[in-house]
Amino acid sequence: EPEVTQTPSHQVTQMGQEVILRCVPISNHLYFYWYRQILGQKVEFLVSFYNNEISEKSEIFDDQFSVERPDGSNFTLKIRSTKLEDSAMYFCASKLAVTNYGYTFGSGTRLTVV
Amino acid sequence: GDSVTQMEGPVTLSEEAFLTINCTYTATGYPSLFWYVQYPGEGLQLLLKATKADDKGSNKGFEATYRKETTSFHLEKGSVQVSDSAVYFCARIMNRDDKIIFGKGTRLHILP
């Protein structure tokens, strides 16, 4: 069964450093997403991406965040200057069509900012 | 604002016990409702869904009924197994929208 692959599974970084979280969505999917879950909190929407541009972003997704689909297979989330409060589990998701049900999520990257 | 509220965990049950995980939502309109499950070390997987009032979603012995009058979508299973141990997330999407609103998740432990 096709999977969304996220790497690394766990990343530790120093405050102020840049991090790039990587995702390989399912190959024929067209819609891409990042969500995050701070420990003990809700899973929250960050950003959606379609046709090589951001469709929607949340209040969390400020100027420190950016997304890119550099090569037609990877979908990356960059945090320019990490803060302690960026520590969370980050989930990538993709879906084929605009219908609401077909999300496939990756297993997540746990980011720890120290 | 719009939200999803589910019961706090962890929930610990013995094998073959009856499971209920409560979920209620607030929304201006009629959302589609979902339960997602996250097994240890894996991603979020769609467990079941319901798209309109009185719909019942079911999968792997789990069921949930979309109750408009109580704005609820409680997850139930008649006889749980050790393999059901996971974190369960209630979620909703508004039909005009494309992002999922999740609850906080409920960790379920099933003891053999």
Side-chain angles (χ1 to χ4, degrees):
Chain A
E1 188 170 331
E3 292 183 340
V4 173
T5 305
Q6 289 187 243
T7 54
S9 57
H10 189 191
Q11 180 152 0
V12 181
T13 189
Q14 296 232 325
M15 192 168 55
Q17 295 296 304
E18 174 183 287
V19 294
I20 297 176
L21 308 183
R22 303 185 189 279
C23 171
V24 179
I26 293 174
S27 60
N28 62 340
H29 282 191
L30 301 175
Y31 297 80
F32 312 107
Y33 306 84
W34 284 100
Y35 287 77
R36 79 169 187 192
Q37 184 185 27
I38 295 172
L39 189 64
Q41 304 296 316
K42 297 182 181 184
V43 178
E44 302 171 293
F45 168 79
L46 290 179
V47 66
S48 57
F49 190 88
Y50 170 71
N51 200 26
N52 282 319
E53 60 184 24
I54 291 174
S55 309
E56 186 177 356
K57 58 184 180 180
S58 71
E59 294 172 352
I60 304 166
F61 195 89
D62 61 21
D63 292 344
Q64 293 297 314
F65 291 88
S66 62
V67 289
E68 196 176 36
R69 189 157 162 77
D71 56 12
S73 63
N74 291 283
F75 180 53
T76 61
L77 174 68
K78 182 192 291 187
I79 309 175
R80 254 178 280 282
S81 177
T82 50
K83 304 186 285 287
L84 294 176
E85 54 264 38
D86 293 328
S87 296
M89 179 74 87
Y90 288 81
F91 293 104
C92 175
S94 68
K95 63 179 181 177
L96 174 62
V98 73
T99 54
N100 288 340
Y101 319 133
Y103 282 85
T104 301
F105 282 87
S107 56
T109 294
R110 180 167 296 287
L111 176 65
T112 303
V113 182
V114 296
Chain B
D2 294 348
S3 68
V4 175
T5 303
Q6 60 183 105
M7 64 190 286
E8 297 279 333
V11 173
T12 302
L13 296 172
S14 297
E15 203 165 23
E16 299 183 3
F18 183 86
L19 168 71
T20 300
I21 301 178
N22 290 338
C23 172
T24 57
Y25 67 90
T26 60
T28 50
Y30 302 103
S32 297
L33 301 174
F34 306 83
W35 278 98
Y36 280 82
V37 59
Q38 186 180 27
Y39 298 103
E42 298 185 19
L44 294 166
Q45 300 175 23
L46 179 63
L47 179 61
L48 53 83
K49 66 180 187 289
T51 58
K52 61 183 188 297
D54 301 324
D55 267 2
K56 178 186 282 188
S58 60
N59 185 24
K60 299 182 181 180
F62 291 90
E63 292 183 340
T65 301
Y66 189 142
R67 302 280 189 207
K68 187 177 70 172
E69 63 277 11
T70 53
T71 63
S72 66
F73 193 54
H74 304 322
L75 183 68
E76 297 182 335
K77 186 173 185 181
S79 176
V80 291
Q81 306 300 313
V82 172
S83 57
D84 294 327
S85 298
V87 182
Y88 292 82
F89 295 88
C90 187
R92 68 140 182 84
I93 299 178
M94 295 304 297
N95 290 329
R96 66 177 184 274
D97 210 345
D98 191 33
K99 57 182 180 289
I100 306 175
I101 304 297
F102 287 93
K104 283 191 179 183
T106 303
R107 184 173 297 278
L108 176 65
H109 293 294
I110 305 300
L111 304 174

